[in-house]
Amino acid sequence: MTQRARAVPVLMYHHISTSPGMITVSPAHFAAQMAYLARAGYNTVGAARLGAFLAGEPLPPKSVVLTFDDGYLDNWVHAHPILQEHGFTALCFVVTSWPGEGVPRPNARTGGALPELLGHREGDLAIEGGEADRTILRWSEIEAMRRAGTFEFHSHTHGHVRWDKVARNQEEKCAGLRRDLLDARAAFRTRLGEVSDHLCWPQGFYDDDYRRIAREAGFKHFYTCEMAPNVGNKNAAGEHSIYRLEVRDRPASWLASRLWVHSRPWLSRAYLKLKR
Ligand SMILES: [Zn+2]
C-alpha cells in the first residue's frame, strides 16, 4: 500500500427518519451523503479493521466508519436499504433489553406500508412505557441486517442507564454498570452467537470507574460522543477511545467538507480548537 489513512473519521448517526428532530437525518440527506461517499471513493470500515488501524495497522486513505446509536426501527426502514444499495457496512450499537420479537416489518426496499416512525422524544416515552417495539429494531430485523452485511451489531449496555446519575454511591454505580455490561454480553451471545469488545457509552458518559469496569467485562474499544482525529498508534496499549463526528441533517457537501478536514490530523485539531 503506497498511501495510508492518517486519521479515520467515525461518523455518528441516530435516526434516519422523515419524522424530524435534533438527532435525526432525513432519508433524502442520508441517501445523498452515502451517494457522495460512494462517488468520492470512500470505503466503509467495520469494527475489527478500525481496531486494527488504531493498534497500528494501515488502512487505505478514504476509509470511514459509520455508526448508529440505540438501534432505532428507522435504521431498518431507511438506512439499511440505502447502505445495501452501495454495499456499505455500518456499526449499530444496540441496547440489548430493547429489541422485540416478531417478523421483520416492511422497509423502503421491500415495499408495503412502512411502519409509523416516532420522533425521538415520543420514542423515549414509548420505551419508558414498555412499548419499545414502536421505535426500536426487532431481533428479526437485526438478523436480516447482519445477513445482508449492512450492519454489524455492538454493545450499548443492556439498559442504557446513567449509573453515575441514579446510583447513591460509587459502589452502587460500579455494580450497576458491571451488571449492565455483563447482561449485554450474555444477550449478544444468546441472540447473535457472538459479542465484540466494542462498546458505546450511553449518552457519551464515562469516567475512570467506567473504563476499568468495561475493561474487566471484556471491552477495549470505547465509542465517545466527543470529536478528535482517530489516529493509529503502534505503541498504543490495549484500550482505545474512539472519537465521532455527529452528522447533521445537511446536504452531502457539508459532509464532504467535514471529511476533508477530519481526515487530516493537524487540520482536524486546529479546526476543533478554533471551534471551542
Ligand atoms: Zn444511546
Side-chain angles (χ1 to χ4, degrees):
M1 196 184 302
T2 51
Q3 272 199 316
R4 51 171 67 187
R6 282 174 289 169
V8 174
V10 179
L11 308 183
M12 173 171 63
Y13 291 96
H14 287 82
H15 295 279
I16 306 298
S17 174
T18 45
S19 181
M22 284 282 287
I23 52 171
T24 300
V25 173
S26 71
H29 277 157
F30 183 69
Q33 292 171 356
M34 294 304 107
Y36 164 75
L37 292 183
R39 206 165 57 236
Y42 276 92
N43 283 302
T44 54
V45 169
R49 290 181 72 206
L50 174 64
F53 170 78
L54 295 172
E57 294 290 318
L59 270 180
K62 299 210 167 174
S63 295
V64 66
V65 178
L66 312 174
T67 69
F68 289 75
D69 288 14
D70 306 328
Y72 293 110
L73 166 60
D74 54 57
N75 295 180
W76 161 250
V77 174
H78 290 295
H80 160 77
I82 295 166
L83 293 172
Q84 194 162 32
E85 195 179 307
H86 296 293
F88 284 167
T89 295
L91 281 60
C92 181
F93 297 106
V94 285
V95 179
T96 42
S97 65
W98 288 352
E101 309 301 334
V103 297
R105 288 161 281 195
N107 68 29
R109 190 184 182 92
T110 61
L114 299 183
E116 182 200 6
L117 297 175
L118 304 185
H120 183 69
R121 180 77 196 118
E122 294 169 271
D124 272 354
L125 292 173
I127 294 167
E128 279 168 32
E131 295 186 302
D133 191 52
R134 294 179 62 204
T135 195
I136 294 293
L137 293 168
R138 292 179 178 171
W139 287 108
S140 61
E141 291 154 356
I142 289 173
E143 197 46 56
M145 293 155 94
R146 281 182 90 204
R147 248 195 336 263
T150 50
F151 280 92
E152 301 177 350
F153 291 85
H154 301 278
S155 298
H156 196 26
T157 75
H158 190 60
H160 209 271
V161 174
R162 281 287 301 270
W163 293 103
D164 60 302
K165 285 188 176 166
V166 301
R168 281 167 301 181
N169 53 48
Q170 187 186 17
E171 199 183 331
E172 214 177 88
K173 176 186 83 171
C174 292
L177 178 67
R178 187 173 294 118
R179 197 175 51 243
D180 214 350
L181 293 176
L182 295 177
D183 286 351
R185 293 182 73 83
F188 262 92
R189 286 214 184 83
T190 307
R191 288 294 184 157
L192 307 180
E194 60 181 7
V195 59
S196 79
D197 59 17
H198 293 247
L199 169 70
C200 178
W201 301 119
Q203 296 180 0
F205 175 83
Y206 61 96
D207 61 13
D208 288 345
D209 290 329
Y210 264 49
R211 289 172 70 125
R212 176 176 51 82
I213 288 160
R215 223 165 33 232
E216 289 166 2
F219 294 100
K220 62 181 225 180
H221 297 93
F222 304 132
Y223 293 73
T224 71
C225 296
E226 298 146 38
M227 185 50 199
N230 296 296
V231 293
N233 181 358
K234 275 214 159 53
N235 304 314
E239 181 189 327
H240 304 276
S241 274
I242 291 146
Y243 304 102
R244 299 189 293 167
L245 177 70
E246 187 179 0
V247 181
R248 310 247 174 229
D249 189 20
R250 302 282 297 274
S253 55
W254 177 89
L255 181 62
S257 68
R258 293 310 186 278
L259 287 175
W260 195 84
V261 168
H262 295 300
S263 304
R264 293 161 171 80
W266 62 271
L267 189 60
S268 174
R269 286 190 194 99
Y271 175 89
L272 293 167
K273 205 169 162 183
L274 211 73
K275 245 181 69 177
R276 251 174 238 132

